[in-house]
Amino acid sequence: MAEAIMGFTISSPHIHSSSLQPTKLDVTHMTSSTRSLRQCSSSELFSGCKQLEIGKKSKRVPLSRTNAFPDWPLMAVLVEHIEGQRDLITHKSIVHLSDDNIKSVYTAYIMFTCWGCLFFGSMKDPYYDSEQYRKDGGDGTGHWIYEKQEDIEESARSELWREELIEEIEQKVGGLRELEEAVKKEEQLVK
Amino acid sequence: MATTSLLPNSLSPFLTNTTSFPSTHFPKFSFLNPLDHPHCPKRPNLHTTHAKKKNPWLDPFDDGEDPDMEYGSLFVDGKQDEDDRPPENPDNPYGFLKFPMGYSVEIASLALKVRGDVRRCCCVVSGGVYENLLFFPVVQLLKDRYPGVLVDIVASARGKQAYELNKNVRWADVYDPDEHFPEPAEYTDMVGLLKGRYYDMVLSTKLAGIGHAAFLFMTTARDRVSYIYPNVNAAGAGLFLSETFTPDSTNLSEGGYNMYHQMVDWLARPSKTVPRQPVPPLKVSISKKLKQVVESKYKNAGVNKGKYIVIHGLESDSKASMQSKGDTDSLLPIQVWAAIAGGLREFRPIFVIPHEKERENVEEVVGDDASIVFITTPGQLAALINDSAGVITTNTAAIQLANARDKPCIALFGSEEKGKLFVPNTEQKNCVIVSSKTRKLKDIDIEAVKNAIPIFNMSLALV
């Protein structure tokens, strides 16, 4: 988080702590327009932050990075005086995130959304809860693949065989009938 | 020791029940009286009509059939029984033992093996529709020679379609035997499938080298019968095969109608008391369903039953043109067909296209009112021909189908020899062969074809 804030650090040209704490360059400089406040933010984000003694007469060390908003306050402290009571101090701080971190936050949000859509979307679904989806698959044979084509063709062929047999029998019967009729006609002729 | 005491008890009801079997089955058990049948030659089936050189690798002690051998009472004369299943026995302690047809293990005696009974036969047929169609007589011959045999076919995807027309076939499986490098999964699958069906005989019309012979060997059939290459490629194939045929050329289909004559000769060979089996003619049977489908098809094309002439043999790069592998020059362009069809007066020509893309060409040349029917399978073509008045075709399966259904047919051939090869005994078949003079089908004399057209009217007058 310290780095996250770093990109948007607004370093006042007058106040710079790098000379005082060269090893703490990475650490966020707490800058404020109100110099009276020499205190880190109390927010958790800045928990790693040490209270910095800001040197009053620090050298101007040009930073390698440019500050986009040099004079924007990051913190605001409102002190309201109410008579007869203690002062009411409202302490506001603004956190700036880097591009990468914004991206990470959005990524996390999108992932959560997608996961949520899938998870909660599948919690209750008439199709997935239906017999259509939940029943045992297949055609009841318990086989993994169904090679039915050969069986269908085989039964068709045996059907064909039966058809031919019936035709043959019919022809024979027809022939017999013709013979019988011819015999009858002859008998009639003889009579 | 407990088992020995249990054994007679468990077996006794079965043994008493054996008397209920017909007694004719009983003496077939050769192990009951082994002295009665002292010597069985291992392969009496190999007694072929051609005096063929035996392969000494197969059995070094096989000196052929013993002329002095006496067949005892175990040897059953004649052909095999149609279905030799014993009658079903409800008193059997093992329940209702009912083996499927062709698998009755308990009565397959040694004598039946000697006789060479074939209960299940597998035919590996190489080639396309035409070659498979010409294999029909062989299947019929098998059925006649070995009553009750179950014939299965292994053929390419195109060739398998022909068996829609064959009532004698049980299973027809797709496996392209012509493929040089089959996919290993397919290969092993087919080997396992064939082995699991326990064939007695495997016939193959693919010219076998050592590879195909090994494939047939792995089916563990008793008789592995195959054509082999007529050249050095056959080296080693004989080791795995029990009977081999050497064709005249590397292309079996060039033999025409009788392309399988060597195999037919061997299958129809006379045995001890069975005379030589006559070779049946090519016959196709068409199912009612097929007829209905095709009827709706040609009704849509605008023709009526018995009033049209089928024109088949349109030039196309489609695989469904049903040519023979032995006659590659057997398709005519639509322009020639249009000229021929112009000579038809009483009948309406119906053009069979093997691919939908040809429809435009036909409409362009013949006219938009042309009757066109899209047919790719031999079954539908046969049904179409069956309802037609006749057929004009080049050398495609349509010729054989027309002859099989006794329809008048004008067959256009590139040369006269081809015509004689593919349509023998023309007069009986009511078929006119018109052949090109230049040995190229494209130069065919259209006037000669038109002159032959009255054949359709003659047949109409006869009917």
Side-chain angles (χ1 to χ4, degrees):
Chain A
M1 267 309 155
E3 285 181 0
I5 299 156
M6 216 173 69
F8 275 83
T9 299
I10 298 163
S11 60
S12 167
H14 308 293
I15 307 156
H16 211 279
S17 63
S18 62
S19 58
L20 293 175
Q21 290 180 322
T23 53
K24 294 287 182 183
L25 250 179
D26 293 339
V27 177
T28 308
H29 311 290
M30 296 312 304
T31 56
S32 64
S33 57
T34 56
R35 290 180 190 171
S36 57
L37 191 80
R38 295 179 178 176
Q39 194 174 343
C40 271
S41 159
S42 61
S43 80
E44 287 178 359
L45 288 173
F46 298 92
S47 59
C49 175
K50 289 177 180 173
Q51 201 167 2
L52 300 177
E53 285 294 326
I54 299 168
K56 287 176 182 174
K57 304 281 182 181
S58 63
K59 280 183 186 175
R60 288 188 181 181
V61 178
L63 289 174
S64 57
R65 56 177 186 273
T66 54
N67 299 310
F69 312 110
D71 287 317
W72 275 22
L74 279 185
M75 281 198 292
V77 179
L78 296 173
V79 182
E80 288 179 56
H81 294 285
I82 302 170
E83 286 179 7
Q85 287 181 11
R86 298 169 99 181
D87 290 353
L88 191 70
I89 300 174
T90 310
H91 185 175
K92 291 187 175 176
S93 67
I94 302 167
V95 177
H96 287 256
L97 300 182
S98 72
D99 285 358
D100 278 352
N101 287 87
I102 291 172
K103 203 170 141 190
S104 307
V105 167
Y106 274 104
T107 307
Y109 167 72
I110 288 168
M111 284 173 71
F112 178 80
T113 309
C114 292
W115 171 83
C117 287
L118 293 172
F119 184 84
F120 293 104
S122 64
M123 295 269 282
K124 181 69 185 170
D125 187 294
Y127 172 67
Y128 290 118
D129 287 341
S130 70
E131 192 58 18
Q132 173 86 0
Y133 181 77
R134 290 285 170 190
K135 71 177 178 197
D136 296 337
D139 59 351
T141 55
H143 287 119
W144 172 42
I145 40 175
Y146 317 115
E147 292 184 328
K148 285 290 171 69
Q149 186 62 32
E150 266 83 33
D151 294 4
I152 294 167
E153 286 172 5
E154 193 263 344
S155 57
R157 256 179 245 121
S158 54
E159 180 64 29
L160 183 62
W161 185 79
R162 256 173 271 132
E163 270 177 29
E164 293 265 311
L165 196 69
I166 289 168
E167 263 178 36
E168 268 180 37
I169 291 169
E170 275 175 359
Q171 276 176 1
K172 273 183 190 169
V173 169
L176 281 177
R177 212 174 277 153
E178 277 177 16
L179 271 178
E180 281 175 10
E181 282 171 7
V183 168
K184 275 181 189 172
K185 275 182 186 172
E186 274 183 15
E187 282 174 354
Q188 283 173 353
L189 282 175
V190 168
K191 282 174 186 174
Chain B
M1 290 309 106
T3 50
T4 48
S5 62
L6 276 174
L7 206 59
N9 285 335
S10 59
L11 278 179
S12 53
F14 182 69
L15 287 173
T16 51
N17 280 332
T18 48
T19 50
S20 65
F21 286 114
S23 58
T24 48
H25 289 299
F26 211 64
K28 283 185 187 169
F29 289 108
S30 57
F31 58 81
L32 294 175
N33 196 354
L35 290 178
D36 202 24
H37 206 90
H39 173 64
C40 302
K42 281 192 177 170
R43 295 178 299 125
N45 302 329
L46 295 189
H47 178 71
T48 50
T49 47
H50 318 287
K52 207 180 272 184
K53 206 180 87 177
K54 275 204 313 290
N55 187 351
W57 287 95
L58 282 176
D59 187 354
F61 304 108
D62 183 13
D63 300 317
E65 205 166 2
D66 184 4
D68 302 328
M69 191 171 84
E70 289 175 14
Y71 289 98
S73 59
L74 291 178
F75 192 87
V76 189
D77 278 344
K79 292 179 185 173
Q80 64 189 45
D81 301 326
E82 183 111 358
D83 185 8
D84 59 344
R85 276 184 294 184
E88 282 147 13
N89 183 6
D91 303 328
N92 197 308
Y94 299 106
F96 224 71
L97 274 185
K98 192 175 178 185
F99 284 95
M101 191 184 169
Y103 288 88
S104 44
V105 280
E106 71 274 27
I107 55 160
S109 73
L110 189 59
L112 299 186
K113 293 284 169 195
V114 172
R115 189 172 64 172
D117 280 13
V118 178
R119 304 249 166 257
R120 295 164 304 277
C121 177
C122 177
C123 308
V124 183
V125 185
S126 148
V129 166
Y130 205 114
E131 285 77 16
N132 279 276
L133 208 57
L134 292 182
F135 198 75
F136 280 23
V138 184
V139 175
Q140 187 62 52
L141 177 71
L142 274 170
K143 276 273 178 188
D144 295 346
R145 176 64 185 78
Y146 303 105
V149 67
L150 300 170
V151 182
D152 297 347
I153 298 288
V154 173
S156 63
R158 276 293 297 159
K160 177 205 158 184
Q161 295 180 341
Y163 294 95
E164 199 178 3
L165 297 167
N166 196 324
K167 58 175 179 173
N168 291 318
V169 168
R170 183 175 53 155
W171 310 102
D173 290 297
V174 177
Y175 175 81
D176 196 353
D178 299 321
E179 188 137 7
H180 285 290
F181 294 100
E183 231 173 273
E186 266 177 41
Y187 180 84
T188 46
D189 183 44
M190 193 44 68
V191 167
L193 191 83
L194 298 184
K195 187 176 183 324
R197 289 183 184 167
Y198 299 96
Y199 289 113
D200 293 322
M201 185 194 276
V202 174
L203 303 177
S204 166
T205 69
K206 179 188 155 49
L207 305 189
I210 194 167
H212 188 60
F215 176 75
L216 298 177
F217 185 84
M218 279 188 280
T219 62
T220 64
R222 184 191 59 201
D223 300 322
R224 299 165 302 274
V225 182
S226 177
Y227 280 92
I228 54 171
Y229 281 107
N231 49 28
V232 288
N233 290 326
L239 281 176
F240 297 107
L241 299 170
S242 52
E243 179 66 33
T244 56
F245 312 115
T246 314
D248 309 318
S249 70
T250 49
N251 191 352
L252 203 61
S253 309
E254 281 170 3
Y257 181 80
N258 293 315
M259 59 188 281
Y260 303 119
H261 66 97
Q262 286 153 315
M263 182 174 274
V264 164
D265 269 357
W266 182 79
L267 285 172
R269 72 199 182 280
S271 72
K272 210 162 85 65
T273 52
V274 183
R276 186 167 195 83
Q277 192 73 37
V279 182
L282 171 65
K283 274 204 177 140
V284 295
S285 31
I286 304 163
S287 68
K288 278 178 196 158
K289 205 187 264 181
L290 202 54
K291 280 178 186 165
Q292 283 169 3
V293 168
V294 174
E295 193 169 358
S296 67
K297 266 196 175 184
Y298 67 71
K299 287 261 169 67
N300 279 343
V303 291
N304 290 319
K305 182 172 179 175
K307 300 283 181 224
Y308 61 91
I309 299 290
V310 178
I311 288 182
H312 193 258
L314 215 62
E315 193 167 42
S316 168
D317 55 357
S318 162
K319 283 191 176 178
S321 56
M322 302 192 221
Q323 304 175 74
S324 168
K325 275 186 182 171
D327 189 5
T328 46
D329 178 28
S330 64
L331 295 176
L332 278 176
I334 180 61
Q335 285 81 8
V336 181
W337 280 123
I340 291 171
L344 286 171
R345 293 284 170 267
E346 290 85 355
F347 301 104
R348 203 176 152 75
I350 185 163
F351 296 90
V352 178
I353 52 171
H355 196 283
E356 276 291 357
K357 70 185 174 188
E358 303 295 331
R359 193 181 285 271
E360 286 180 12
N361 300 340
V362 176
E363 281 176 352
E364 200 175 292
V365 175
V366 184
D368 285 340
D369 58 338
S371 299
I372 302 168
V373 64
F374 167 58
I375 279 182
T376 57
T377 68
Q380 295 194 3
L381 184 61
L384 185 72
I385 287 170
N386 192 40
D387 284 352
S388 73
V391 182
I392 307 178
T393 177
T394 53
N395 186 13
T396 64
I399 291 185
Q400 307 298 341
L401 291 171
N403 291 343
R405 299 305 295 190
D406 291 326
K407 290 287 169 186
C409 169
I410 300 177
L412 317 184
F413 274 95
S415 65
E416 214 163 313
E417 301 87 61
K418 286 273 182 203
K420 276 179 188 159
L421 269 180
F422 281 91
V423 189
N425 51 9
T426 324
E427 292 76 23
Q428 289 177 19
K429 297 278 179 58
N430 199 5
C431 178
V432 175
I433 290 180
V434 181
S435 49
S436 165
K437 300 281 182 291
T438 57
R439 308 183 70 84
K440 272 186 188 163
L441 190 61
K442 274 192 180 170
D443 306 327
I444 200 151
D445 187 6
I446 295 174
E447 286 309 310
V449 181
K450 282 183 178 173
N451 291 339
I453 281 175
I455 186 181
F456 301 128
N457 299 328
M458 274 166 58
S459 64
L460 200 69
L462 283 175
V463 170

